[in-house]
Amino acid sequence: MESPSINEWYKEAKKDESSTKCGMYLLHNGVVRELSRKRVRENDLNSPLVKGMSFDFDNEKVDEAIKKTYLMDGIYYIKVWLNKGNLQLGDDIMYVLIGGDIRPHVIEALQSLVGEIKTKCVIEKELY
């Protein structure tokens, strides 16, 4: 699946009716890396290098996570794109764009939404 244009996303966000309330936009771009989760998070240097990733998601759960994030203080704009299928090193896994009033609100919302997507909405398997 082809990744979206981030420049186009920003243009869309700034044309949205919510744009006058947004003092900050923050983007998360998850990418397939060769270092496994186990190697990075648990410092397991014996963990094999990743060659790719199988990735899928539950669209309804993603929509629910987005709705929940809109309830957070100062959040006015959210756009999410998730890839699907067998991904290679360097492929984009996801983009999450959040717009809100002030930096602390936007950072908290991005952290929360990406965390919820990663733990409750996706099925990902590292391929070795």
Side-chain angles (χ1 to χ4, degrees):
M1 189 182 309
E2 188 172 333
S3 301
S5 164
I6 296 311
N7 286 335
E8 289 303 313
W9 273 29
Y10 280 124
K11 286 178 188 176
E12 288 174 23
K14 290 179 180 182
K15 288 180 183 175
D16 189 81
E17 64 185 23
S18 68
S19 66
T20 57
K21 298 176 188 169
C22 293
M24 179 181 186
Y25 294 93
L26 193 55
L27 176 77
H28 167 79
N29 175 209
V31 178
V32 180
R33 65 177 183 273
E34 72 175 3
L35 300 177
S36 69
R37 262 188 301 272
K38 199 168 187 178
R39 187 178 283 235
V40 173
R41 294 196 175 128
E42 299 173 23
N43 199 28
D44 181 351
L45 302 179
N46 295 318
S47 179
L49 295 178
V50 172
K51 294 188 173 154
M53 173 184 284
S54 172
F55 190 83
D56 201 356
F57 60 93
D58 182 321
N59 207 35
E60 288 180 20
K61 289 181 180 179
V62 173
D63 288 344
E64 285 301 315
I66 291 169
K67 287 177 189 172
K68 183 176 165 184
T69 306
Y70 268 119
L71 298 175
M72 296 177 77
D73 287 341
I75 301 306
Y76 301 105
Y77 189 85
I78 301 171
K79 187 158 184 154
V80 173
W81 173 87
L82 299 169
N83 209 339
K84 188 178 257 193
N86 288 324
L87 310 180
Q88 304 301 312
L89 295 177
D91 284 351
D92 294 317
I93 300 169
M94 74 172 70
Y95 285 119
V96 176
L97 178 64
I98 306 258
D101 56 2
I102 58 174
R103 182 173 22 96
H105 289 159
V106 178
I107 291 170
E108 180 181 357
L110 183 70
Q111 181 79 11
S112 175
L113 180 54
V114 171
E116 181 135 352
I117 289 171
K118 294 284 285 177
T119 59
K120 298 181 181 172
C121 305
V122 304
I123 302 160
E124 57 185 339
K125 182 178 183 204
E126 295 175 332
L127 305 174
Y128 306 101

